[in-house]
Amino acid sequence: MGNVFGGGAANRLEPGSGGDSLSLSNGGTDVFLDVLTLSVSDVAHDAWDYRFAAFLTLQDQNVMGRGAVGFDLEEIDWGATPAARARAKDFVVRVVDLALRRHRWDELGYEPPFAEGYLRRFRAMVEAFEPSDAVRRDGGGFPGPGEAAVASCVPHRVLSALPYWDGCRFCQSAAGQEP
């Protein structure tokens, strides 16, 4: 499967039918989502991109609870056509590649020593994943078109889950990171 889960034994990311997974500690999950959030916020352009950004914002442990987040690549609504699925997959790979270039990591306020390994593993999982017509069309926990993350946190310059929560993942963090 293509599941990515964070925090404790219950948090694991798996890529669908491939059997690979990415299990992360609570701190590892926070780091993984921090670096992806910085990247997705700067490259989102189309409606699907903002839906994927919203999907990432909904993985915030500071809101959902430690050890209570994670997803399977099969939960993502990759699109109804081969072209849409290929475009969505390419977008996710571009987000990861930007994060791998340490995009905006200087704004984190900490050095994420294991982030590169998490990102490389996730990228490999996405690359190996083949979205198909068998993907659940209800999208699982994937935000619909009307639930895209279009709000931006001004201090942190990232997409946020407004109006669901009062701020972005950095505003919500227990550490109260400064922009």
Side-chain angles (χ1 to χ4, degrees), residues 1 8 12 37-38 44 46-47 68 70 74 90 92 98 116 133 136 139 142 144 152 166 173:
M1 296 193 96
R12 174 178 77 246
T37 297
L38 293 170
D46 290 336
E74 289 181 346
D90 179 66
V92 174
L98 183 60
E116 187 174 328
D133 291 336
R136 291 181 295 205
F142 197 73
S152 181
D166 294 334
S173 75

Side-chain angles (χ1 to χ4, degrees), residues 78-168:
W78 293 95
T81 67
R85 291 189 293 270
R87 191 243 171 245
K89 187 173 172 177
D90 179 66
F91 174 76
V92 174
V93 169
R94 285 187 298 120
V95 167
V96 174
D97 286 346
L98 183 60
L100 280 166
R101 291 193 300 273
R102 299 176 166 261
H103 179 70
R104 294 178 58 190
W105 286 16
D106 58 321
E107 298 175 33
L108 291 173
Y110 65 89
E111 179 61 34
F114 303 109
E116 187 174 328
Y118 303 152
L119 292 167
R120 288 193 188 287
R121 179 95 178 256
F122 180 62
R123 186 186 194 288
M125 291 167 57
V126 172
E127 281 285 318
F129 181 71
E130 289 298 328
S132 70
D133 291 336
V135 173
R136 291 181 295 205
R137 288 294 169 225
D138 68 0
F142 197 73
E147 302 168 312
V150 293
S152 181
C153 173
V154 174
H156 296 104
R157 301 175 349 269
V158 297
L159 295 169
S160 70
L162 292 171
Y164 301 110
W165 302 321
D166 294 334
C168 74

Side-chain angles (χ1 to χ4, degrees), residues 27-117:
T29 300
D30 287 338
V31 168
F32 178 73
L33 292 168
D34 283 353
V35 298
L36 285 178
T37 297
L38 293 170
S39 294
V40 77
S41 296
D42 286 354
V43 297
H45 177 70
D46 290 336
W48 190 91
D49 306 350
Y50 290 101
R51 291 175 63 202
F52 181 74
F55 185 66
L56 292 178
T57 68
L58 296 174
Q59 307 304 313
D60 191 342
Q61 293 184 110
N62 295 309
V63 176
M64 302 303 291
R66 305 296 275 173
V69 302
F71 60 92
D72 188 308
L73 294 178
E74 289 181 346
E75 292 177 24
I76 296 172
D77 178 0
W78 293 95
T81 67
R85 291 189 293 270
R87 191 243 171 245
K89 187 173 172 177
D90 179 66
F91 174 76
V92 174
V93 169
R94 285 187 298 120
V95 167
V96 174
D97 286 346
L98 183 60
L100 280 166
R101 291 193 300 273
R102 299 176 166 261
H103 179 70
R104 294 178 58 190
W105 286 16
D106 58 321
E107 298 175 33
L108 291 173
Y110 65 89
E111 179 61 34
F114 303 109
E116 187 174 328

